[in-house]
């Protein structure tokens, strides 16, 4: 009995008294605020989705066609952004994802056109995307440059390579894959399944395997990660390779949907990827606050927003203004109340 009373008294001593401990109250308040903020992206996606459905029905829009367009737009960007989460988590940056996707789609499309084999087209698209992603990080290691500087340079290089492919191997600056080859996969279910399988694969690596924890550690504090035995160069190359898988899948998905590829194909994916990650609640500084599911939440939020605004306004200029305002607002909300520390815990 005495032992039981001792256990009860000892456990009660661990409960902070917020009335007499202001510091504990502030910590509790900050924790509650942080949890509320973490749910904002998901709530925003739900609200935008409901708002679109209500307004589309009120204005006589075809929801089936509307959702097909939303899924098409969201899945393409989400595939790239999901892979890019590995890069951002490790504290790196890549602006060449859109150009990488175009080159991968062009080479994959040429192989598919020549062989008539969809599986081979998929393999080539993924292999090229991984190779180009690894090339970015490898060159940065060789020349001792920050990875994001190298990716800015390679963005121009890949755009030039895409133009070269279109002018030398394409016809009329286009690469046209036979419609009958890709038509069986050109539907919303295929895109959702493709995104779902890749997302589950990334979630397993990010939250179950040690690799995800190492990436968060590296992005949170590279110096401490080095002292802990984490090799930044190898981990960065592996992060870019994992991102390359998503880029290759996005290239294949884009080719299936739009068999005629040109220099403008997927041109907005690179910038939309950044907006999507922020909309989904992803911290651009990487580290322990990174979220693998942010890409999906942000992609569908942006797709719902685009579809909703297209109901009432024609043109694209206003969307960029709205996205810019929301981008700043979401970043402010995510970072509100966050104290900058050497190592986040």
């Amino acid at each position: 009995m005495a032992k039981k009373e001792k256990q009860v008294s000892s456990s009660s001593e661990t409960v902070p008294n917020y009335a007499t401990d202001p510091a504990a109250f502030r910590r509790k308040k900050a924790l509650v605020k942080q949890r509320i903020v973490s749910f904002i992206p998901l709530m925003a996606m739900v609200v935008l989705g409901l708002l679109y459905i209500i307004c589309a029905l009120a204005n006589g829009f075809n929801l089936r066609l509307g959702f097909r367009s939303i899924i098409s737009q969201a899945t393409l960007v989400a595939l790239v952004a999901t892979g890019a989460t590995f890069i951002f988590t490790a504290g790196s940056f890549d602006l060449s994802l859109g150009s990488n996707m175009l080159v991968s789609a062009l080479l994959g499309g040429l192989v598919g056109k020549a062989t008539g084999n969809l599986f081979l087209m998929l393999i080539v698209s993924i292999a090229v995307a991984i190779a180009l992603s690894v090339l970015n990080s490898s060159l940065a290691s060789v020349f001792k440059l920050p990875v994001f500087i190298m990716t800015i340079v390679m963005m121009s290089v890949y755009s030039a390579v895409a133009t070269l492919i279109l002018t030398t191997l394409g016809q009329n600056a286009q690469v046209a894959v036979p419609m009958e080859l890709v038509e069986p996969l050109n539907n919303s279910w295929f895109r959702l399944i493709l995104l779902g399988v890749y997302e589950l694969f990334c979630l397993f690596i990010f939250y179950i395997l040690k690799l995800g924890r190492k990436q968060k550690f590296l992005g949170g504090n590279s110096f401490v990660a080095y002292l802990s035995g984490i090799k930044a160069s190898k981990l960065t190359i592996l992060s870019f390779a994992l991102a390359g898988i998503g880029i290759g899948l996005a290239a294949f998905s884009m080719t299936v949907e739009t068999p005629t590829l040109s220099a403008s194909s997927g041109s907005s994916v690179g910038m939309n990827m950044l907006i999507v990650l922020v909309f989904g609640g992803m911290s651009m500084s990487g580290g322990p606050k990174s979220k693998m599911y942010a890409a999906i939440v942000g992609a569908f939020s942006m797709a719902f927003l685009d579809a909703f605004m297209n109901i009432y306004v024609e043109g694209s200029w206003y969307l960029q203004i709205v996205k810019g305002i929301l981008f700043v607002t979401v970043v402010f909300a995510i970072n509100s109340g966050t104290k900058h520390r050497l190592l986040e815990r």
Side-chain angles (χ1 to χ4, degrees), residues 10-331:
S10 61
S11 62
S12 62
E13 289 175 0
T14 60
V15 179
N17 188 342
Y18 298 125
T20 59
D21 190 353
F25 176 75
R26 288 194 296 269
R27 288 194 298 269
K28 179 67 174 180
K29 183 179 178 181
L31 181 60
V32 172
K33 183 179 180 180
Q34 184 179 2
R35 288 178 178 175
I36 293 174
V37 169
S38 65
F39 281 102
I40 289 178
L42 182 60
M43 291 186 293
M45 183 189 71
V46 174
V47 170
L48 287 171
L50 292 175
L51 195 61
Y52 165 72
I53 293 174
I54 294 172
C55 294
L57 290 175
N59 289 272
F61 278 73
N62 189 324
L63 280 180
R64 182 179 179 181
L65 294 177
F67 271 98
R68 183 176 180 179
S69 176
I70 289 171
I71 291 173
S72 172
Q73 177 184 348
T75 52
L76 182 64
V77 181
L79 283 169
V80 178
T82 299
T85 303
F86 288 113
I87 298 175
F88 287 102
T89 300
S92 295
F93 195 82
D94 194 351
L95 286 176
S96 66
L97 301 181
S99 302
N100 184 340
M101 186 184 73
L102 177 58
V103 174
S104 303
L106 289 173
L107 293 178
L110 287 171
V111 170
K113 180 180 179 180
T115 63
N117 191 321
L118 274 177
F119 181 73
L120 189 58
M121 185 173 79
L122 171 63
I123 295 300
V124 170
S125 298
I126 295 176
V128 172
I130 293 175
L132 296 181
S133 294
V134 171
L135 180 62
N136 286 346
S137 55
S138 300
L139 288 177
S141 299
V142 171
F143 293 104
K144 306 299 181 182
L145 292 173
V147 177
F148 75 92
I149 292 180
M150 183 57 66
T151 60
I152 293 175
V153 175
M154 297 307 291
M155 177 176 62
S156 300
V157 173
Y158 295 154
S159 297
V161 170
T163 302
L164 180 63
I165 293 173
L166 288 168
T167 53
T168 56
L169 301 178
Q171 296 179 349
N172 299 323
Q174 292 180 337
V175 170
V177 180
M179 182 70 72
E180 58 273 12
L181 178 65
V182 298
E183 185 62 29
L185 298 181
N186 188 13
N187 58 76
S188 299
W189 286 112
F190 169 74
R191 298 184 186 94
L192 289 174
I193 291 173
L194 194 67
L195 176 60
V197 171
Y198 182 59
E199 182 69 21
L200 290 175
F201 169 74
C202 293
L203 287 172
F204 176 77
I205 293 177
F206 197 74
Y207 292 109
I208 304 299
L209 300 185
K210 292 181 180 180
L211 177 62
R213 294 193 292 272
K214 288 182 179 180
Q215 288 175 328
K216 294 178 184 179
F217 202 9
L218 178 62
N221 192 294
S222 58
F223 181 70
V224 176
Y226 168 76
L227 295 178
S228 302
I230 296 176
K231 296 181 179 180
S233 57
K234 291 184 178 180
L235 189 59
T236 300
I237 291 175
L238 186 55
S239 300
F240 273 77
L242 290 170
I245 298 175
I247 298 171
L249 291 175
F252 179 76
S253 178
M254 181 177 68
T255 307
V256 168
E257 182 180 6
T258 312
T260 302
L261 302 171
S262 63
S264 61
S265 298
S267 58
S268 62
V269 171
M271 187 56 63
N272 285 340
M273 176 269 301
L274 295 176
I275 300 175
V276 158
L277 287 176
V278 172
F279 276 15
M282 175 74 179
S283 174
M284 289 292 97
S285 60
K289 289 187 177 182
S290 300
K291 305 171 184 176
M292 180 54 65
Y293 57 85
I296 290 182
V297 174
F300 279 93
S301 295
M302 189 177 71
F304 281 130
L305 176 64
D306 289 355
F308 166 71
M309 298 195 69
N310 284 329
I311 294 176
Y312 298 102
V313 185
E314 295 182 359
S316 60
W317 60 270
Y318 63 93
L319 280 174
Q320 304 305 320
I321 297 176
V322 173
K323 288 178 183 177
I325 295 173
L326 290 177
F327 185 92
V328 175
T329 303
V330 174
V331 170

